[in-house]
Amino acid sequence: MTDLGNGWTTAAIILLVAIVAHEPWRWLGLYLGRDIDVEGARFQWVRAVATALVAGLVMRLLIFPAGALGGPPLWLRLAAFAAGVAAFFAFKRSLALGVLVGTLVLVAGSFWLL
Amino acid sequence: MHEEDNGKVGDARSAAGMFLSGLAVSLSIPGVILFASAGGFGALARDAGLSIGNALLMMGVLFALPAQVVMVDQLARGGAFLGAVLAVALIGIRLLPMTVVIVPFLGGSKASLPGKAVAVHAVAITGWIEGLRRLPDTPENLRLPHFCGIGSGLIAAALAGTAAGYIAAGQLSGPLAAALLFLTPIYFMLALLATAAQPSDWLAIVIGAVLGPIAYWLAPGFDLLLTGLIGGSAAHILARNWRIKRGAGLGGPGRRP
């Protein structure tokens, strides 16, 4: 473990990044939300870009994991992920059951491989 | 999306009562999932070498797991400050449309602007879903306190989860530590699917998921930007052409007042 995350310098960076780069989007959303046309093309495009970005992040976390998630092999991670998505749809779009089934498949598979 | 029993809170018709019933959301299923995925973040932060204090600080001030994961990644790789700003800003853009969508539910022009500015800090995937689910059935003058309650409860659950995950990560065996880190991607994907309401949402999810790893392989560092811009634009254009061909109207994201 490095000690990069300790101390006040990192705390200051976190706070600064939040104020400069993150919270303004919420304030801007509050401002624009008064009269933006949510059915307009610009809003729809922003929404699609944001959605694709998070979907890409999800697959990056899954396929190129950092740390302990790299323990189980790729095929098991993908199988658990697919099982979670399948359970989500099978149980009327239940977030809880989707997360539960996916995680259980990963854990069961990992112990079975041990 | 919208059952009879949701958001109807008996006789709790005072602002304080609606705040408290909002707080109680943190004890329901969404709060539990957030607690667990915050646990995943806590484990990730520890894995990356962040102190528990800074992990909690990040959870509190950013309060959006995708941005936190990206920022932990930047810090862990010793990325430049500007790189962290850019990455967090890019991923935070997602909060803009989410906030825009929920603002009409926060009580209209009568609600106080500073109050709303504080309340929108709770706009992240869980708070957004629960807000859209519960606020339409809340009397207009009580929406802001109710959403503030939802937000406060979820932030408390997230902080508790972060601490629990951080502490647990050091003591868990390999498969369980992996499961804790697995919570973040599976929860994000399912939350995306849960809020998808129109063809461009579904297309953006599928195209983004396929493009993400390819972009990471081709251009690490710019992968999220490329994935968002290329994948999102493609999804937008495809959905638009498809809609024009079908002659159907635009589907809005959920109910609006």
Side-chain angles (χ1 to χ4, degrees), chain B residues 50-76:
Chain B
L50 218 64
S51 72
I52 188 167
N54 281 335
L56 288 169
L57 177 69
M58 198 186 285
M59 185 83 234
V61 298
L62 290 178
F63 193 59
L65 287 169
Q68 290 166 223
V69 171
V70 164
M71 187 158 178
V72 164
D73 189 53
Q74 286 284 327
L75 288 172

Side-chain angles (χ1 to χ4, degrees), chain B residues 78-257:
Chain B
F81 175 66
L82 204 63
V85 166
L86 200 66
V88 169
L90 278 173
I91 210 152
I93 292 178
R94 184 177 162 72
L95 299 173
L96 171 66
M98 288 166 72
T99 310
V100 167
V101 171
I102 207 159
V103 161
F105 291 103
L106 291 182
S109 52
K110 271 174 267 168
S112 87
L113 186 62
K116 285 194 273 191
V118 172
V120 293
H121 187 60
V123 174
I125 293 170
T126 310
W128 188 69
I129 293 174
E130 289 310 302
L132 287 183
R133 221 155 67 92
R134 288 160 199 272
L135 291 176
D137 289 339
T138 306
E140 196 169 46
N141 59 323
L142 297 175
R143 285 178 177 173
L144 189 57
H146 192 48
F147 189 66
C148 285
I150 294 173
S152 305
L154 291 179
I155 291 172
L159 290 174
T162 303
Y166 194 98
I167 293 162
Q171 286 144 24
L172 289 178
S173 69
L176 293 181
L180 205 54
L181 291 170
F182 179 74
L183 288 172
T184 302
I186 188 72
Y187 173 65
F188 280 178
M189 180 52 81
L190 297 185
L192 274 187
L193 293 170
T195 50
Q198 49 195 333
S200 68
D201 293 336
W202 300 105
L203 284 168
I205 292 169
V206 172
I207 297 173
V210 172
L211 210 56
I214 299 171
Y216 181 73
W217 182 61
L218 288 175
F222 298 96
D223 52 321
L224 292 178
L225 173 64
L226 288 173
T227 302
L229 286 177
I230 298 173
S233 302
H236 178 67
I237 292 163
L238 282 171
R240 220 172 170 72
N241 291 342
W242 182 72
R243 201 184 294 120
I244 289 164
K245 226 176 266 173
R246 281 177 37 121
L250 289 152
R255 221 177 68 149
R256 273 182 309 283

Side-chain angles (χ1 to χ4, degrees), chain A:
Chain A
M1 291 295 107
T2 64
D3 62 356
L4 69 101
N6 292 304
W8 297 104
T9 312
T10 307
I13 290 175
I14 292 170
L15 209 56
L16 201 60
V17 167
I19 293 170
V20 168
H22 200 248
E23 204 65 14
W25 293 121
R26 289 174 171 132
W27 295 331
L28 191 61
L30 179 60
Y31 177 74
L32 294 174
R34 298 165 317 158
D35 50 19
I36 199 172
D37 176 15
V38 287
E39 316 231 313
R42 199 178 307 167
F43 180 87
Q44 295 295 328
W45 176 71
V46 171
R47 187 183 158 104
V49 168
T51 303
L53 193 150
V54 175
L57 173 67
V58 165
M59 296 316 283
R60 188 178 91 179
L61 287 172
L62 195 67
I63 295 178
F64 305 101
L69 186 53
L74 178 63
W75 67 263
L76 178 58
R77 298 196 299 269
L78 290 175
F81 187 78
V85 172
F88 168 78
F89 284 111
F91 297 105
K92 294 181 184 168
R93 294 188 173 205
S94 164
L95 269 173
L97 285 172
V99 170
L100 189 70
V101 168
T103 309
L104 284 179
V105 168
L106 187 81
V107 172
S110 302
F111 277 115
W112 180 68
L113 286 175
L114 278 181

